[in-house]
Amino acid sequence: MKNIRVRLEENSYIIYAGYLLKKLGGALEGKRYGKKVLLLTDSNVFPLYGRAVEKAVAETGREIVHALLKPGEAEKNFKKAHEIVEWCAKNRMGRDDTLMTLGGGVASDLGGFAASIYMRGINFAAVPTTLLAQVDASVGGKTGVNLPFGKNLVGSFYQPSFVYIDFKTLGTLPEREIKQGIAEIIKYGVIKSRNIFNMMKNTPPGRIKKHLPALIEESVMIKKVVVEKDEKERTGLREILNFGHTVGHAVEIAHFPQFNHGESVALGMVGESYLSWKLGMCKKDVYSGIKEVVGKHRLPFSFAGIKTDKMLDFMKYDKKARQGNIRFVMVKNIGTVKTGVVIKAEDAVKLLKEMIRDEKP
Ligand code: ADP
Ligand code: ZN
């Protein structure tokens, strides 16, 4: 059990890591969270954990109502956000009441967004139940919904009042979802922690589950320190979290819906560490070490069959690209990266093609 304080002046909050859902009431102590709680969750998670949460909230004397989403990214849209705020109004929720999310990144991105706009902002509490949401979405305060033109195009920075993590909820999470979180944990290792990286390198995938609590805590600590220094992505410090995500994002879109986010980031880390090696930022064994760890955890690591030309189109026209130049996070060594390395999209893709040729026996 660990209470991790994220220090953001008036937006500071606590991440309760390693508590049981049935003790959730403790986090709601005090008047601050109002009299009503709207619980936003999806129809997979509700039957598993909804009752425990509702019971814990009811024990604090609060009224609880719920809103159910269909599982999946499709519900992360404006229409749903609108329905949620209307549901808040229908239930006469006031400024000091609380919107609580229970589920993965979809519930917390969408619920956080709705909480940030209803009455210009009500309390928001997140109970992440996917590994990805526990190590990523639970810290950083990014909320948002998708538009038909792209993901997360509308949103806000809105910090939760608290985050409550029960590691036991991962026990029911499908393997492919666990691996999405594993990809982000490997990322934390590469950007900031030899300890995490070595743990991932030395632990067989079948035995990783028992190390998850420690890995989650360390990952959350890394993200917290970065976010504390650059809450609104203004100083560039937050950029290190994008390692694997530039190539990864291009793979994700070029191959949609073949690879989920974690699988795309896995390929992205392999690709970007190859670029790092080829551009002289790191030794070859850094690239091969990353590739080996990714493969060991049964995440995709081979670029054979990857549509690099489609990736190039996407990279060139990405909103973050300037005249076809893209900022990359390059690895120097495990635990140390360099941000803001500008590479032309064409050159990056040329190198990725070279990697595909290299891969052939
Ligand atoms: P993320 O963006 O964090 O991957 P999603 O909200 O898309 O998360 O959730 C991924 C899938 O996992 C959804 O189908 C969701 O219903 C399901 N899910 C979330 N948490 C759990 C859990 N603890 N056990 C089983 N399924 C879960
Ligand atoms: Zn990510």
Side-chain angles (χ1 to χ4, degrees), residues 288-306:
S288 28
I290 291 172
K291 187 171 168 179
E292 186 196 314
V293 171
V294 164
K296 174 175 188 137
H297 290 280
R298 303 189 193 117
L299 282 156
F301 61 88
S302 166
F303 270 67
I306 295 293

Side-chain angles (χ1 to χ4, degrees), residues 322-343:
R322 299 273 173 275
Q323 280 108 35
N325 289 321
I326 306 175
R327 289 167 72 86
F328 279 88
V329 181
M330 297 279 92
V331 210
K332 289 164 83 178
N333 214 327
I334 298 303
T336 319
V337 289
K338 183 172 162 63
T339 55
V341 178
V342 175
I343 309 175

Side-chain angles (χ1 to χ4, degrees), residues 106 143 335:
V106 170
T143 80

Side-chain angles (χ1 to χ4, degrees), residues 69-131:
L69 302 167
K70 287 190 207 111
E73 188 86 9
E75 294 275 85
K76 220 180 103 169
N77 60 43
F78 242 124
K79 187 164 164 270
K80 210 70 211 180
H82 185 184
E83 280 173 33
I84 296 164
V85 291
E86 277 197 343
W87 189 234
C88 289
K90 250 186 209 137
N91 283 287
R92 307 208 172 282
M93 294 192 40
R95 290 280 326 249
D96 55 354
D97 289 328
T98 302
L99 194 157
M100 183 180 283
T101 61
L102 171 71
V106 170
S108 59
D109 286 6
L110 173 66
F113 179 61
S116 77
I117 56 175
Y118 180 64
M119 292 188 162
R120 299 198 181 85
I122 60 169
N123 287 311
F124 163 45
V127 185
T129 62
T130 65
L131 184 56

Side-chain angles (χ1 to χ4, degrees), residues 186-338:
I186 296 172
K187 177 193 84 177
Y188 287 115
V190 175
I191 63 171
K192 271 279 179 227
S193 166
R194 274 185 168 276
N195 181 42
I196 291 185
F197 192 82
N198 287 337
M199 195 123 141
M200 300 310 289
K201 187 174 165 180
N202 300 326
T203 315
R207 285 223 228 114
I208 206 74
K209 287 228 165 88
K210 74 171 197 271
H211 297 286
L212 284 179
L215 288 164
I216 294 166
E217 284 178 6
E218 198 180 335
S219 299
V220 165
M221 283 299 294
I222 293 171
K223 185 157 183 192
K224 159 207 132 91
V225 170
V226 172
V227 169
E228 281 176 343
K229 289 190 192 139
D230 184 15
E231 181 185 355
K232 304 237 163 105
E233 227 162 26
R234 288 195 182 123
T235 69
L237 270 170
R238 242 180 122 141
E239 228 180 280
I240 76 166
L241 301 169
N242 290 343
F243 173 67
H245 282 63
T246 309
V247 168
H249 201 194
V251 171
E252 193 170 352
I253 297 192
H255 283 258
F256 183 79
Q258 186 184 350
F259 300 116
N260 62 29
H261 180 70
E263 290 159 353
S264 309
V265 169
L267 283 163
M269 291 191 289
V270 173
E272 290 178 21
S273 57
Y274 182 86
L275 298 183
S276 307
W277 168 43
K278 286 287 156 170
L279 296 172
M281 311 262 174
C282 68
K283 296 208 181 102
K284 184 180 182 186
D285 58 358
V286 173
Y287 152 68
S288 28
I290 291 172
K291 187 171 168 179
E292 186 196 314
V293 171
V294 164
K296 174 175 188 137
H297 290 280
R298 303 189 193 117
L299 282 156
F301 61 88
S302 166
F303 270 67
I306 295 293
K307 299 172 185 161
T308 44
D309 290 324
K310 245 182 147 179
M311 283 173 66
L312 177 61
D313 284 341
F314 169 73
M315 281 175 161
K316 276 206 291 209
Y317 301 110
D318 185 62
K319 60 184 187 295
K320 286 193 202 137
R322 299 273 173 275
Q323 280 108 35
N325 289 321
I326 306 175
R327 289 167 72 86
F328 279 88
V329 181
M330 297 279 92
V331 210
K332 289 164 83 178
N333 214 327
I334 298 303
T336 319
V337 289
K338 183 172 162 63

